[in-house]
Amino acid sequence: MELCYQLPVLPLDRPVPKHVLSRRGAISFSSSSSLFGAPDPRQLSQRRGAISYDSSDQTALYIRMLAVTNKTIKPSFVFTPDVRVRSQVGFEPERRGSHPYLGVDFRTLHSRAESAGTIPARRIRRLFSFQRHLLSSRLLRGAPHLNPLHILDEDYCGQAKCMLEKVGSWNFDIFLFDRLTNGNSLVFLTFNLLNQYGLIELFQLDMVKLRRFLVLVQEDYHNQNPYHNAVHAADVTQAMHCYLREPKLAQSLTSFDILLGLLAAATHDLDHPGVNQPFLIKTNHYLAALYRNTSVLENHHWRSAVGLLRETELFSNLPAEDSLSIERQLGSLILATDISRQNEYLSRFRTHLDENDLCLGNASHRHFVLQMALKCADICNPCRPWELSKQWSEKVTDEFFHQGDIEKKYKLEISPLCDSEANTIASVQIGFMTYVVEPLFAEWARFSDTRLSQTMLGHLGLNKASWSAMEPEASGSSEEGESEPGRATDEPSSRVLSQGSQES
């Protein structure tokens, strides 16, 4: 695994401001850090994340790793000893433990080697925003710019606003929206929805704190991950909005419920490392030890979100008991996305529907419905139109196979669905749709029998048929194409656990 650190060659006429360079996120360095190639080691001491570099041995290891792999520049730098941890009162600080497979670096697990002379599209979009900052700075200083900068941001902004007018459409193209917002889809979409529901005014949220919170949330998603990144969080948030507008929920949910639902959707995979829970457990990762191998990722997502809420003091205007209530209920929603508890939630939901005893006037019943809505939003990709669903399927399978490649490299047992030689995109998706998605959305349609529910089930059937038609071709023979679902039937729980641990 090789890291490359190069200084940029940019036509700058003044030092870059600290607030542009300093990044405050979680364990990995997200896409905007890649504006200057690899993360600048001199800035690591300024980062404050849910997982901080508070272990001297890990810090020394990372410094040595950078020193060895750095081919271009080897800067000298020192980590400050007072790197703060977001965990505060009531939340045990997360310490970095010894990792037996130290060569596995989540920061670069899913990164691609860039060919010489090419600049990734996301980096170009970040450059647009950076150039806009330089332009505004020069204008404020009264310094004319000789070469006008042709920036696409302004034109894209108008198109993004037009898309937000149809944010409640199930055909909403989150990939296009992310491009139009220069990679800031989660910030723009969540802010727009909070404003649309009148929650900013109702809860008297400070606009500066809110935007800072959303920016930090977006930065704490790892954009190197093919699937578990900020775009996935934005997609889940948009799906949650669609469910909140369903008649049964719209007539019953309180503003507090809606606020919780949107925040949970935006933060439900915060700081996801791009590998599943079994991987963390079998490599003795410190998170697995911290959470005792139980809902490891979901607990970490929740604690990371609470850390950001406290760091930004978003709810400092509310009574202390209300803030704690928000944190607890936010955790209850995020923990519900643990796919290993899928049958528990599904059975409870089915029982309520069979007995017809769901009373949305009851706060606990409303919260349970919110949990089910978030579970549906989290795995709704197979229910999207084929053009969108296919992209998500390819991305999540790409992430699976990357983990499998790492496991092969370090001679670990390959997790189910992560072996690119034994699985295809089609076989993975057919098994996931059959054993996880279909049962959940069938019960949701019983609860909310609306046009949206029927549309989702319709797309699900068509997408499954499309993958079934592609499976023999992908596997090389019809027999291999038919054997994969058979294996899924024999071992549904293990396969569901593996896929769910990553998708949730």
Side-chain angles (χ1 to χ4, degrees):
M1 187 174 301
E2 184 177 55
L3 297 177
C4 179
Y5 169 61
Q6 294 180 326
L7 290 175
V9 181
L10 293 175
L12 305 181
D13 59 355
R14 62 194 289 258
V16 181
K18 291 183 178 180
H19 72 273
V20 174
L21 288 179
S22 63
R23 307 275 304 166
R24 307 197 312 162
I27 186 171
S28 99
F29 304 95
S30 57
S31 61
S32 43
S33 293
S34 65
L35 174 63
F36 303 121
D40 189 342
R42 291 168 296 182
Q43 301 164 23
L44 296 182
S45 62
Q46 303 175 19
R47 294 178 57 83
R48 299 189 299 156
I51 303 179
S52 12
Y53 292 86
D54 57 355
S55 173
S56 57
D57 57 334
Q58 293 292 324
T59 297
L61 171 68
Y62 187 62
I63 294 175
R64 290 196 299 271
M65 182 179 67
L66 282 179
V68 171
T69 57
N70 188 353
K71 303 299 182 183
T72 308
I73 298 177
K74 298 179 179 178
S76 59
F77 61 99
V78 179
F79 278 84
T80 57
D82 58 342
V83 179
R84 299 196 306 180
V85 184
R86 284 182 182 148
S87 303
Q88 299 182 16
V89 178
F91 290 87
E92 180 182 355
E94 297 172 345
R95 301 184 179 278
R96 296 179 61 85
S98 59
H99 198 290
Y101 301 96
L102 295 174
V104 182
D105 188 352
F106 294 148
R107 288 175 289 266
T108 57
L109 181 63
H110 299 300
S111 60
R112 300 288 201 281
E114 303 294 344
S115 58
T118 63
I119 303 179
R122 182 172 290 275
R123 190 174 302 175
I124 292 176
R125 293 196 294 272
R126 295 295 182 182
L127 282 170
F128 287 151
S129 297
F130 185 74
Q131 290 173 339
R132 181 170 58 184
H133 163 75
L134 292 179
L135 176 60
S136 62
S137 300
R138 289 167 178 164
L139 292 178
L140 288 175
R141 291 185 290 111
H145 54 283
L146 301 178
N147 298 320
L149 297 174
H150 301 284
I151 304 173
L152 300 180
D153 296 50
E154 305 302 328
D155 294 334
Y156 284 176
C157 184
Q159 298 179 46
K161 289 180 179 178
C162 290
M163 286 195 68
L164 285 175
E165 295 177 359
K166 299 182 179 180
V167 70
S169 169
W170 190 247
N171 298 330
F172 190 85
D173 189 342
I174 196 64
F175 298 110
L176 174 59
F177 184 72
D178 189 64
R179 291 193 294 272
L180 295 179
T181 56
N182 288 342
N184 295 295
S185 55
L186 183 58
V187 173
F188 279 88
L189 186 138
T190 308
F191 191 93
N192 176 269
L193 291 178
L194 291 173
N195 184 56
Q196 182 175 320
Y197 282 105
L199 301 174
I200 298 177
E201 181 179 359
L202 180 62
F203 290 94
Q204 298 181 349
L205 300 179
D206 185 282
M207 299 283 280
V208 175
K209 292 180 179 179
L210 175 59
R211 181 162 182 88
R212 180 167 175 258
F213 169 76
L214 294 177
V215 168
L216 290 178
V217 167
Q218 180 174 270
E219 290 179 351
D220 279 7
Y221 278 95
H222 303 187
N223 286 330
Q224 304 97 315
N225 295 343
Y227 182 82
H228 287 105
N229 49 45
V231 183
H232 166 66
D235 183 64
V236 172
T237 305
Q238 190 272 336
M240 190 67 168
H241 167 59
C242 292
Y243 300 151
L244 294 177
R245 295 173 68 234
E246 291 287 79
K248 275 191 175 182
L249 276 70
Q251 297 168 8
S252 306
L253 296 181
T254 65
S255 297
F256 183 76
D257 296 328
I258 296 173
L259 176 66
L260 279 174
L262 294 177
L263 289 180
T267 61
H268 80 285
D269 272 334
L270 193 61
D271 198 31
H272 197 296
V275 292
N276 60 14
Q277 176 173 293
F279 183 91
L280 298 179
I281 293 175
K282 65 188 174 186
T283 56
N284 296 327
H285 194 272
Y286 80 101
L287 284 178
L290 177 62
Y291 298 117
R292 301 180 181 180
N293 299 344
T294 303
S295 299
V296 176
L297 289 171
E298 290 74 24
N299 270 296
H300 178 59
H301 304 326
W302 167 38
R303 300 302 175 92
S304 300
V306 168
L308 284 181
L309 287 174
R310 294 184 177 185
E311 179 179 339
T312 59
E313 300 181 337
L314 181 60
F315 297 120
S316 59
N317 61 308
L318 300 180
E321 58 271 17
D322 291 346
S323 296
L324 290 176
S325 177
I326 290 176
E327 293 175 0
R328 285 193 298 267
Q329 295 192 54
L330 185 66
S332 177
L333 290 174
I334 294 176
L335 289 174
T337 62
D338 184 355
I339 206 71
S340 66
R341 301 178 62 189
Q342 176 83 354
N343 289 336
E344 171 190 339
Y345 281 94
L346 190 58
S347 298
R348 181 181 168 191
F349 194 35
R350 185 178 292 119
T351 300
H352 278 302
L353 295 177
D354 291 341
E355 298 179 0
N356 195 27
D357 61 354
L358 268 179
C359 177
L360 296 184
N362 184 305
S364 63
H365 284 194
R366 288 200 308 274
H367 186 76
F368 175 68
V369 170
L370 272 181
Q371 290 176 319
M372 300 306 299
L374 182 58
K375 289 177 68 64
C376 289
D378 189 24
I379 60 173
C380 71
N381 302 146
C383 300
R384 296 282 192 179
W386 172 252
E387 294 76 13
L388 301 176
S389 179
K390 183 173 182 291
Q391 293 184 65
W392 285 120
S393 298
E394 293 169 346
K395 289 177 180 294
V396 72
T397 310
D398 187 18
E399 192 165 297
F400 290 169
F401 291 167
H402 268 285
Q403 176 179 324
D405 293 341
I406 293 295
E407 291 168 333
K408 289 179 183 178
K409 180 178 179 180
Y410 293 97
K411 302 186 185 307
L412 301 171
E413 180 184 357
I414 301 177
S415 301
L417 307 179
C418 295
D419 190 349
S420 58
E421 297 178 0
N423 298 279
T424 64
I425 299 179
S427 64
V428 169
Q429 290 306 308
I430 291 173
F432 183 59
M433 292 178 183
T434 302
Y435 300 109
V436 179
V437 182
E438 284 181 348
L440 177 61
F441 280 87
E443 298 304 322
W444 181 262
R446 286 181 60 197
F447 166 72
S448 177
D449 187 10
T450 63
R451 180 178 180 181
L452 174 60
S453 295
Q454 297 307 316
T455 297
M456 292 190 297
L457 290 176
H459 286 312
L460 178 60
L462 292 174
N463 294 338
K464 185 177 179 180
S466 297
W467 286 119
S468 297
M470 296 168 62
E471 186 181 9
E473 177 182 353
S475 61
S477 69
S478 59
E479 292 182 359
E480 293 181 5
E482 294 171 358
S483 63
E484 189 65 33
R487 287 196 295 271
T489 303
D490 295 336
E491 305 175 18
S493 59
S494 62
R495 300 175 67 85
V496 165
L497 173 62
S498 177
Q499 172 130 0
S501 298
Q502 293 204 36
E503 291 218 8
S504 59

